[in-house]
Amino acid sequence: MTPFQIVLVGCGGISDAWLKALATLNTAKVVGLVDLEADHARAKAEAFALRDVRVGNDLDQLLQEMQAEGRPADVVFDCTVPPAHHQVVLTALAWGCHVLGEKPLAETMPQAREMVAAAEKAGRVYGVMQNRRWLQGIRRVRQALAQGVIGKPHTVHSDFFIGAHFGGFRDEMEHVLLLDMAIHSFDQARFLLDAKPVSALATEWNPPGSWYRHGASAAAFFEMDGGRTVTYRGSWCAEGLPTTWECAWRIIGEKGTLLWNGGDEMRAERVDGADGFIRPVRSVEIPAYTLPEADQGHGGAIRDFLQSLAEGKAPATPASDNIHSLAMVHAAIESAESGKKVYINQTTHN
């Protein structure tokens, strides 16, 4: 198979994870690097020993030149900052490219709906990088839930507490935790439950001593379809005793509870009797699950996306589905600002 011709946009730090994954694949070739600072793109090309790669600071111009020369790009990888996603994706789609982009899908829901609709109209695949779906731990938990280890799951609690000193743009962002980070946790919860959101009730605050300007801590409660619920508690300025970046999870089912620390530790208990004020329980084994290292994290998401293009099927995280995770983010922000419960539109085009 002829390798997919890839143009990567946004040559900041996150692009390293993408380029490392691409270096292991023979199904893709990086043919273009774009950054507002062309020197950053040149440095990235040198760092990854990319030969015969175009470098520029204007995606539209680069794609136009490639098209004119009869060597059009097949795929654009969008590694830009969130405010740029809307324009980058629309430009890529206009030139007939498939797109895989970093989270969050867009800064606003109207932008997200426009992007999803544009991909559908262009007949191109638009996927979103939700690399935490490609962790061995979450795949093992999801498998256990599907096998009924704790009965039908109905409630998911997630905790995220880390003292993260980024510096840069995040220090000045509004809604920094909900907008920049919580999308991962919300998407993980949806992945575990295979659910869509119905409503959100949330609050956010900036604790004393916070080095962020706004919204470093938050709590949210979501009603999901099928009568299920998700809660989230988090902070990016919680020093000491951190959770993992993947959250600590308590998942409650009709027959028991499963705990997962976001890493390698997980355990479950299941009801083992019908008598007593507190019913007796027994520990239950959580079946093993092996996800090859090459299929974990960014590498797994990129490999899945390219394979989906080759086979003509939907990727694991299409934008048309991921928009429901983004809707949780914006509903939580709206609720935090208004102090009211916010109902979430279940469709992607309204």
Side-chain angles (χ1 to χ4, degrees):
M1 186 184 76
T2 302
F4 289 107
Q5 306 295 289
I6 308 291
V7 172
L8 184 144
V9 189
C11 295
I14 194 62
S15 66
D16 288 358
W18 293 64
L19 291 169
K20 286 176 183 177
L22 284 167
T24 69
L25 301 175
N26 59 12
T27 57
K29 180 182 179 181
V30 179
V31 295
L33 292 173
V34 179
D35 194 276
L36 289 177
E37 297 291 338
D39 286 345
H40 293 173
R42 293 188 186 94
K44 198 68 67 172
E46 183 176 349
F48 284 86
L50 298 173
R51 302 291 181 255
D52 301 320
V53 61
R54 290 176 175 270
V55 171
N57 61 4
D58 187 311
L59 175 64
D60 185 66
Q61 180 180 336
L62 187 142
L63 293 177
Q64 182 179 14
E65 291 173 354
M66 295 180 70
Q67 185 85 9
E69 294 173 7
R71 297 188 296 171
D74 299 310
V75 181
V76 167
F77 283 171
D78 178 13
C79 298
T80 61
V81 296
H85 291 177
H86 178 252
Q87 188 58 53
V88 165
V89 170
L90 294 184
T91 298
L93 292 172
W95 285 105
C97 299
H98 303 287
V99 183
L100 179 63
E102 269 294 343
K103 60 80 192 169
L105 191 159
E107 281 202 305
T108 70
M109 289 304 295
Q111 285 183 346
R113 295 185 187 106
E114 182 184 1
M115 293 153 75
V116 170
E120 184 176 298
K121 182 177 180 180
R124 292 296 181 263
V125 178
Y126 176 25
V128 181
M129 173 59 73
Q130 292 290 174
N131 53 298
R132 281 165 174 77
R133 289 195 180 203
W134 298 92
L135 298 173
Q136 181 162 288
I138 199 168
R139 293 300 181 97
R140 185 182 177 196
V141 172
R142 193 169 191 257
Q143 172 185 265
L145 297 178
Q147 293 176 352
V149 166
I150 58 171
K152 187 177 180 179
H154 54 72
T155 304
V156 170
H157 299 290
S158 57
D159 283 345
F160 176 87
F161 295 104
I162 287 177
H165 295 261
F166 291 102
F169 72 93
R170 288 183 180 87
D171 286 3
E172 299 300 320
M173 278 182 66
E174 290 193 355
H175 314 292
V176 61
L177 182 68
L178 287 174
L179 190 58
D180 192 64
M181 184 65 201
I183 181 68
H184 282 303
S185 306
F186 299 167
D187 189 72
Q188 284 175 276
R190 286 193 56 234
F191 184 59
L192 291 172
L193 287 178
D194 190 19
K196 293 179 181 178
V198 174
S199 71
L201 182 62
T203 185
E204 63 180 350
W205 64 98
N206 219 27
S210 172
W211 48 95
Y212 296 91
R213 185 177 68 82
H214 186 275
S217 298
F221 171 82
F222 297 97
E223 294 174 310
M224 311 296 283
D225 59 1
R228 296 166 290 179
T229 57
V230 169
T231 72
Y232 172 82
R233 303 185 303 175
S235 179
W236 248 350
C237 59
E239 302 281 30
L241 299 177
T243 63
T244 66
W245 283 86
E246 287 70 43
C247 286
W249 299 83
R250 175 181 288 267
I251 305 165
I252 306 171
E254 294 175 346
K255 300 295 183 180
T257 293
L258 186 152
L259 298 181
W260 174 44
N261 76 338
D264 296 329
E265 297 177 13
M266 57 185 72
R267 58 193 178 95
E269 290 184 339
R270 184 181 175 95
V271 172
D272 192 32
D275 299 315
F277 177 65
I278 302 294
R279 299 293 195 256
V281 296
R282 60 179 173 85
S283 296
V284 292
E285 182 179 353
I286 301 174
Y289 185 98
T290 300
L291 186 66
E293 186 174 351
D295 289 333
Q296 296 182 32
H298 282 74
I302 291 171
R303 187 183 298 269
D304 168 81
F305 184 80
L306 295 177
Q307 184 175 347
S308 75
L309 296 182
E311 297 177 358
K313 64 180 185 180
T317 55
S320 57
D321 176 75
N322 188 255
I323 196 171
H324 296 292
S325 299
L326 184 69
M328 294 173 73
V329 172
H330 287 289
I333 290 172
E334 183 180 343
S335 176
E337 290 180 335
S338 67
K340 299 177 181 179
K341 178 187 285 190
V342 172
Y343 288 91
I344 299 172
N345 194 327
Q346 290 276 319
T347 67
T348 59
H349 294 283
N350 298 318

